[in-house]
Amino acid sequence: MTNGPVFRFAPSPNGALHLGHALSAIVTFELAQKMGGRFLLRIEDIDLERCRPELEAQMLDDLAWLGLTWEEPVRRQSEHFESYTRALTKLDGMDLLYPCFASRKEIAAHAVAGQNDPDGAPLYPGLHKELSSTEATTRKRASEPFALRLDMDKAIETARAMSPGPLTFGEFNPHNGEIKTMPAEPDRWGDAVIARKDVPTSYHLAVVTDDARQGVTHVTRGQDLFAATDIHRLLQVLLEVPEPLYHHHALLRDEAGRKLSKSHKDQSLASLRAGGASPEDIRFLAGLTKP
Ligand code: GLU
C-alpha cells in the first residue's frame, strides 16, 4: 500500500444516482488517477429505513458501467456503528453532548424567525439545553425519542484549547494544486445533532470517523456540503483525527437553476442508460466533456 493521496466517493443508497453523482464520482476518480492516489468507495447507509440493498446494487452497477474501479472491500457505514459509538462516547466523555427531546414542530415553533442554519433549517433555539439530568433520565425511561446535540459554544471553546488559533480548512484547486485557507465557522450551525436514539450517529460524525479510519487525504464533494465542513473540522479537532484537504466542486443544476436531486427521476443514470445513453454521453451531460 502506498502513502500517496487517498480519495473517496461516498454516495447514500437512498435513491438512484443522477448526473450530479456521476460528475462527483468521475471528478474524484480521475483526480485520484492523475495524482497516483487510491480511490475508495464508501456506502453511506446509516439511514436504515431509506437506504435499500437494491438501490446500492444499482449504484455499484452504474459506477462500474461508467468505467470506475475501486478498492475492495467497500466500506458500508451500516456495518460500523460501533466506530461511531466510540466517537460519540469520546465526545460525551468531554461533556459536549446533551439529549434533546423536542420535535421538529416544537423547534420550529420556538425558533427565532430568520435565524437559520446554512442548510436553511431553523436554528435550534436551545430548548432542552438546560434540561435537568433527572428529567432527561425520566424521559429516556419513558422511551421518548431524542437527539444528542453538540453544545456548540462549549465544543468550540474545547477545540480552541486543544488546537489554538483559528479553525480553518484547506480548499484545494484540482487544476493547479493551489490550497486556499478557508475559515470554518461551526457556530453558524448552532447545537447540531450528532446522533439520534434510533440512529446512533449522524452524517457528520460518520463521515469524520470514516474519513479518518480510511486515511482519506482528499475529500472531493459538491458545493452543497461546503458549509458542513465547518462541523467536520470541529469534530476532527475534538476527536483528534487528521485533517484532510477539501475540494467542493460546482453543482449541476436543472433548467430552473435548482441543484439536481434524487427526485429528478429523468436524470437518473439508470433511466438515461435505459434510454440508450453511453458513458460518453453521461460525461457530456455532466459537463465533463465538450461536444
Ligand atoms: N453521502 C453524502 C451524499 O451522498 C456525501 C458525503 C460526503 O461526500 O462527504 O450526499
Side-chain angles (χ1 to χ4, degrees), residues 8 10-12 21 42 44 203 207 219-221 225 232 262:
R8 75 350 180 236
S12 300
H21 295 109
R42 182 166 77 224
E44 303 216 320
Y203 155 64
V207 127
V219 172
T220 46
R221 56 188 181 194
L225 291 170
H232 300 174
K262 284 175 175 150

Side-chain angles (χ1 to χ4, degrees), residues 82-93:
E82 84 294 340
S83 304
Y84 316 131
T85 302
R86 264 201 300 280
L88 199 63
T89 306
K90 181 169 161 87
L91 296 174
D92 195 35

Side-chain angles (χ1 to χ4, degrees), residues 123-199:
L123 208 58
Y124 178 68
L127 280 180
H128 287 174
K129 197 164 184 164
E130 308 300 338
L131 212 62
S132 71
S133 57
T134 328
E135 180 166 0
T137 309
T138 312
R139 294 177 80 151
K140 278 185 188 169
R141 284 213 184 110
S143 300
E144 276 191 48
F146 63 89
L148 285 173
R149 289 184 176 270
L150 190 65
D151 180 336
M152 188 53 84
D153 290 343
K154 195 167 175 192
I156 291 174
E157 199 182 302
T158 308
R160 205 168 281 148
M162 293 170 77
S163 170
L167 187 68
T168 60
F169 62 93
E171 178 76 16
F172 73 96
N173 179 331
H175 303 295
N176 59 18
E178 254 170 33
I179 299 170
K180 228 171 149 179
T181 302
M182 311 299 290
E185 298 162 325
D187 49 320
R188 60 183 168 151
W189 287 93
D191 289 356
V193 171
I194 294 298
R196 291 185 191 279
K197 182 188 168 199
D198 52 344
V199 183

